[in-house]
Amino acid sequence: MTEAIGLLERLVGFPTVAGTGNAPLIGWVRDYLEAQGAKVTLLPGPEGDRFNLFATIGDPNLPGYVLSGHVDVVPAQEPGWQGDPFVLRREGGRLIGRGACDMKGFDAAVLAAAPQLAAMPLAAPVHIALSYDEELGCRGVPHLLSRLPDLCAPPLGCIVGEPTGLVPVLGHKGKAALRLVAEGQAGHSSRPDLGVNAIHALLPALTAAAAQAEALVHGPQDDRFAPPWSTLQIGTVEGGQALNIIPDHAEARIEARAIPGADPRALLDPVATASDVSVEWLSSYPALALDPGHPLATLAAELSGNAPQAAVSFGTEAGLFQQAGVPAIVCGPGDIGRAHRPEEYLREDELAGAVEMILALGRHLC
């Protein structure tokens, strides 16, 4: 456990906030894994300062299993922190720091297990996939997945270690998000005929969004989820400077969350086409739906000691692995309720449980 805690301390110490560079962390992980004998490939993203990492312990030409995590974290500017969020603190069995639960704890467990995995006579490989900008809508991992056929034989499955209390999760909704921007012409509000109101230009799209949200309530249902229908919401609307100035700029951010079988981007199409404004797609990832009888579900239950759960409300990269042809399940340490909050933490026993689950996978492959 001391090794795993030390590794988590190092990972938390890299302030890899989503949307910023992660080269120092990825370089350190590469050196660590190569020292364990793993074959490591760095996969730069198009941004130039962010990298995915893919590593293999064992023979990459044989079908094996992927352990997947992301290394980015949400910002840590909330006033409720009792210490530096990027310095891990140990208090009463809690490991406190930004990303400790979501999801550098799983990453640390994987790294802690790597030396023992490397010493095992594995009949199938264990792959480690670390991605960037998951918190911005799973933007980084598609670049990794596009290279997967060059890196290894088709995997038998993928365990995405998001915090589920080490309970295997079979499904989650997909998500898409967009930003609408309207440009107008400023002027005095007493002469609207001499200006163009950007907020007014957004109204058809906002009206379409509200109508689509209501229509989805009466659309296809999946009782594994709460609520059981696909959802759509207007998250933010911004525009205008003062009451007596015609707004020359306005924008809105809108998201859709889709049950399995529905395309989240398609849910937003009526919104994207309702106004003559610019549309920027912010993110998109598919739903996850693993059959309860799939061998990966059985294996994850055996490794974790917990029966699979049908679904969770939050999204992960697992749907993208599944879309790429890799069966995927979500199972990692911690509680999602602690994520994205001040004093985020992972318990020491949860970290130890994750290490044991990963080592159990290694023993299964021997």
Side-chain angles (χ1 to χ4, degrees), residues 13 39-40 54 57-58 63 67 73 91 118 136 162 164 167 173 201 212 214 236 246 254 267 278 325 334 343 360:
K39 179 182 179 182
V40 182
F54 191 84
I57 299 172
L67 300 173
V73 299
E91 296 181 5
L136 296 181
E162 293 279 5
T164 66
V167 174
K173 291 182 179 180
Q212 177 74 324
E214 178 61 24
T236 66
I246 298 169
I254 304 170
L267 298 181
S278 67
E343 296 295 277

Side-chain angles (χ1 to χ4, degrees), residues 7 10 16 20 28 40 46 48 125 147 164 224 261 300 318 329-330 361:
L7 289 167
R10 290 299 301 271
T16 48
T20 67
W28 177 79
V40 182
R147 291 285 310 279
T164 66
R224 294 175 296 174
I329 199 164
V330 187
L361 173 62

Side-chain angles (χ1 to χ4, degrees), residues 27-111:
W28 177 79
V29 172
R30 175 198 57 203
D31 294 344
Y32 173 85
L33 289 173
E34 286 183 341
Q36 314 309 322
K39 179 182 179 182
V40 182
T41 302
L42 299 190
L43 304 166
E47 301 82 2
D49 64 347
R50 273 153 270 179
F51 298 81
N52 294 306
L53 178 147
F54 191 84
T56 298
I57 299 172
D59 186 349
N61 298 309
L62 297 174
Y65 289 90
V66 180
L67 300 173
S68 172
H70 64 82
V71 298
D72 61 302
V73 299
V74 296
Q77 299 172 341
E78 310 97 319
W81 287 97
Q82 301 301 306
D84 187 335
F86 296 108
V87 176
L88 191 73
R89 298 177 4 244
R90 297 178 67 179
E91 296 181 5
R94 294 182 175 186
L95 304 167
I96 305 167
R98 173 56 84 220
C101 183
D102 183 14
M103 62 177 292
K104 289 181 175 179
F106 180 77
D107 299 339
V110 172
L111 297 181

Side-chain angles (χ1 to χ4, degrees), residues 16-19 70-75 99 102-103 132-139 162 175 317 336 339-340 344:
T16 48
V17 174
H70 64 82
V71 298
D72 61 302
V73 299
V74 296
D102 183 14
M103 62 177 292
Y132 69 88
D133 284 1
E134 187 273 349
E135 298 290 3
L136 296 181
C138 302
R139 293 184 183 179
E162 293 279 5
K175 177 184 173 182
E317 296 172 334
I336 195 66
H340 301 193
E344 175 184 351

Side-chain angles (χ1 to χ4, degrees), residues 49 79 101 108 122 144 170 205 214 222 250 291 315 326 347:
D49 64 347
C101 183
L122 299 176
L144 184 154
L170 304 175
E214 178 61 24
D222 188 328
D291 190 291
V326 181
R347 297 199 315 265

Side-chain angles (χ1 to χ4, degrees), residues 8 15 43 87 92 146 155-156 266 279 321:
L8 179 56
L43 304 166
V87 176
S146 69
L156 298 171
V279 179
F321 275 92

Side-chain angles (χ1 to χ4, degrees), residues 302-359:
E302 293 175 356
L303 299 179
S304 67
N306 294 310
Q309 177 179 329
V312 292
S313 298
F314 60 90
T316 78
E317 296 172 334
L320 287 162
F321 275 92
Q322 185 177 67
Q323 186 180 67
V326 181
I329 199 164
V330 187
C331 187
D335 185 333
I336 195 66
R338 306 177 204 147
H340 301 193
R341 301 178 65 175
E343 296 295 277
E344 175 184 351
Y345 71 91
L346 186 71
R347 297 199 315 265
E348 293 183 20
D349 64 300
E350 292 172 330
L351 180 60
V355 174
E356 177 53 34
M357 180 183 74
I358 295 163
L359 293 176

Side-chain angles (χ1 to χ4, degrees), residues 191-285:
R191 291 298 306 272
D193 54 312
L194 299 179
V196 178
N197 191 306
I199 294 177
H200 291 182
L202 276 185
L203 290 179
L206 300 181
T207 300
Q212 177 74 324
E214 178 61 24
L216 290 173
V217 174
H218 308 288
Q221 309 276 308
D222 188 328
D223 290 336
R224 294 175 296 174
F225 298 95
W229 54 83
S230 297
T231 61
L232 186 148
Q233 78 142 3
I234 302 167
T236 66
V237 179
E238 302 173 5
Q241 304 174 57
L243 181 60
N244 59 353
I245 300 175
I246 298 169
D248 62 353
H249 177 89
E251 61 181 74
R253 293 173 186 249
I254 304 170
E255 71 163 26
R257 294 181 181 265
I259 61 175
D263 180 350
R265 282 187 66 136
L267 298 181
L268 286 170
D269 281 345
V271 179
T273 59
S275 297
D276 185 18
V277 298
S278 67
V279 179
E280 176 190 0
W281 289 96
L282 301 176
S283 64
S284 180
Y285 58 81

